[in-house]
Amino acid sequence: MTFQQIKYFITVAECLSFTEAAKCLFITQPALSRQISAVEEELNTQLFVRSKKTLKLTPGGVLLYNKLPHLLQEYNEIVEE
């Protein structure tokens, strides 16, 4: 998983919408969906429960969402230094 994919995952988790997250990230929704699918495949776990009208985090998605923002923040601080 790349730091860009981490950023994508966090944004989708916060928006609970691929469309809204894609707008925030200035990428297309299909490209964002492919990146999240690639992360799910790499981790061999589903991160979101998708339905036509709702998007929810799975327990694995909740675990990642609780841990990854701290990692991304530390990475950004290191880059700034």
Side-chain angles (χ1 to χ4, degrees), residues 1-14:
M1 183 181 329
T2 66
F3 281 103
Q4 184 174 15
Q5 288 172 323
I6 292 170
K7 182 178 177 182
Y8 289 173
F9 167 75
I10 292 168
T11 305
V12 174
E14 289 174 348

Side-chain angles (χ1 to χ4, degrees), residues 2 9 12 19 22 41 47 53-54 56 60 67 71-72 77:
T2 66
F9 167 75
V12 174
T19 303
E41 189 173 317
L47 300 174
K53 295 187 179 187
T54 62
K56 296 180 182 178
K67 302 283 185 179
L71 177 66
L72 189 59
E77 289 171 4

Side-chain angles (χ1 to χ4, degrees), residues 12 15-18 46 48-57:
V12 174
C15 293
L16 290 177
S17 166
F18 281 96
Q46 189 176 353
F48 296 96
V49 177
R50 298 159 174 88
S51 70
K52 290 186 179 188
K53 295 187 179 187
T54 62
L55 185 68
K56 296 180 182 178
L57 286 165

Side-chain angles (χ1 to χ4, degrees), residues 3-79:
F3 281 103
Q4 184 174 15
Q5 288 172 323
I6 292 170
K7 182 178 177 182
Y8 289 173
F9 167 75
I10 292 168
T11 305
V12 174
E14 289 174 348
C15 293
L16 290 177
S17 166
F18 281 96
T19 303
E20 290 302 314
K23 287 178 186 177
C24 292
L25 294 164
F26 302 103
I27 64 170
T28 66
Q29 184 273 326
L32 178 58
S33 294
R34 282 192 299 273
Q35 289 296 313
I36 297 299
S37 292
V39 170
E40 290 177 324
E41 189 173 317
E42 178 183 337
L43 298 176
N44 197 30
T45 191
Q46 189 176 353
L47 300 174
F48 296 96
V49 177
R50 298 159 174 88
S51 70
K52 290 186 179 188
K53 295 187 179 187
T54 62
L55 185 68
K56 296 180 182 178
L57 286 165
T58 64
V62 170
L63 177 68
L64 278 181
Y65 182 68
N66 288 333
K67 302 283 185 179
L68 289 179
H70 305 291
L71 177 66
L72 189 59
Q73 181 181 353
E74 285 192 32
Y75 169 78
N76 288 331
E77 289 171 4
I78 291 167
V79 169

